[in-house]
Amino acid sequence: MAAETDALISQLNITARRVQAYLDVKLKPLNLTVNNYYFILKINQDTPLTQDQLFKRIYLSPSNVTRRLTQLIDLGLVEKQRNPQDGRSWTVTLTVKGKALVPQVEQIIAQVNATAFNDLVTTQQEELITALKLIDHNLA
């Protein structure tokens, strides 16, 4: 029996949605979602971060980044200020409350990774990352 034409894309899509749904459930107690937790980790890695730098790291449209940042600002997790070196751009930083969530988010991500990739040995996980990066590169 021949494989479905869209078997690879279909499975990638199904798996991604399932991981996202699972992650949403785990992040809910922190009032975060799969759509915004990532900002907490990225902003924490490099602060202060300009909004432009964030657009490039997250690979979302500026309007999506702005909308999600607004959610995090409303939750008191992120602050946005005019860039002191360039009054035209904005910098984003975590608040004390946002920084306090970082270890909890990292723990949840570790738990989700452990569950999702439980049956893959380290070399298989590394090969999967390499394959996904290659797919990403092919589409760039």
Side-chain angles (χ1 to χ4, degrees), residues 32-113:
L32 295 174
T33 68
V34 72
N35 293 320
N36 63 19
Y37 86 90
Y38 193 66
F39 288 74
I40 299 290
L41 297 180
K42 291 302 165 194
I43 293 169
N44 185 61
Q45 283 177 353
D46 194 9
T47 299
L49 191 64
T50 67
Q51 211 166 323
D52 254 2
Q53 291 168 320
L54 194 56
F55 297 147
K56 292 173 185 163
R57 288 190 186 164
I58 295 184
Y59 197 72
L60 286 174
S61 70
S63 61
N64 279 332
V65 170
T66 300
R67 187 172 29 260
R68 291 176 187 163
L69 278 176
T70 299
Q71 292 169 349
L72 294 170
I73 289 167
D74 291 346
L75 289 170
L77 303 175
V78 171
E79 14 184 53
K80 186 165 106 169
Q81 300 173 332
R82 285 266 180 216
N83 187 343
Q85 289 129 3
D86 172 7
R88 297 171 295 152
S89 64
W90 294 90
T91 60
V92 290
T93 56
L94 294 180
T95 64
V96 171
K97 185 178 173 183
K99 287 178 186 175
L101 281 182
V102 170
Q104 295 171 68
V105 171
E106 289 174 339
Q107 182 180 10
I108 289 169
I109 297 304
Q111 290 169 349
V112 171
N113 277 333

